[in-house]
Amino acid sequence: YVALNKSQGQGGLDLRAEVAGTPPKTGRYVVRWDSRVTSQSTVLFATLVIRDSSGNILMNISYRPGQVLDLNDQNPGGIGIPWSDVLQSFEVTVDMGSKRIERILIDEKLISVSFPIAFRQPAASDLARFSFELGGTTGQGYAIDNIEIREAP
């Protein structure tokens, strides 16, 4: 369990979990984590990102003001499930062969978008890391736990 408190001022934070060994280019994988907001009144920007070894984005879910979770920065009204100040479980199924996200579950509920979803950046070529990236100039607080990347059953 990691608690992150970003103080006021310029700068950001990038917490990473990297795949051990050679990042896979084929196959189906599940990326899962638990996270929560600990500073509801100061949420500005935090994104949970799956990237390849060159930094290209396969998918990202961002915390936004008003308890909005935004997928790939394309759902400003949210994805049907709001963020919470209690730990929420996220599970993303990635198909490297088709370069698509097959499904996203939050607390075992499917989010309200049509699947499958193409990788955010089509140049993404492998599954190298999961990052929790914070930005902005206000103080913010988040927590993250149980990060896991594994082959899908």
Side-chain angles (χ1 to χ4, degrees):
Y1 183 83
V2 176
L4 304 168
N5 291 302
K6 183 192 170 300
S7 61
Q8 282 186 275
Q10 298 292 344
L13 176 69
D14 179 5
L15 175 69
R16 298 179 182 191
E18 297 189 359
V19 171
T22 303
K25 294 179 183 264
T26 61
R28 292 176 60 248
Y29 294 85
V30 173
V31 180
R32 74 152 322 277
W33 69 92
D34 298 329
S35 60
R36 75 183 187 112
V37 175
T38 60
S39 61
Q40 290 192 29
S41 63
T42 58
V43 169
L44 179 63
F45 175 78
T47 191
L48 305 135
V49 187
I50 302 171
R51 293 184 180 271
D52 75 357
S53 52
S54 297
N56 293 307
I57 298 172
L58 282 69
M59 184 252 19
N60 69 283
I61 294 176
S62 300
Y63 287 104
R64 302 282 189 210
Q67 290 190 289
V68 170
L69 287 171
D70 184 3
L71 176 62
N72 290 338
D73 301 320
Q74 297 174 0
N75 304 91
I79 54 178
I81 299 171
W83 56 256
S84 174
D85 63 350
V86 298
L87 277 176
Q88 290 176 287
S89 295
F90 293 76
E91 184 175 297
V92 178
T93 304
V94 178
D95 184 337
M96 294 305 301
S98 66
K99 292 191 167 196
R100 295 185 182 275
I101 304 300
E102 290 184 348
R103 72 179 190 170
I104 300 172
L105 301 174
I106 301 174
D107 291 332
E108 299 182 5
K109 296 177 191 139
L110 192 63
I111 67 169
S112 60
V113 299
S114 296
F115 289 100
I117 301 167
F119 287 173
R120 173 145 186 216
Q121 294 180 309
S125 62
D126 58 32
L127 175 57
R129 71 179 186 256
F130 168 84
S131 299
F132 192 37
E133 302 170 9
L134 301 177
T137 57
T138 61
Q140 301 176 73
Y142 302 90
I144 191 162
D145 198 7
N146 299 319
I147 301 167
E148 178 183 24
I149 300 172
R150 61 177 163 74
E151 275 192 270

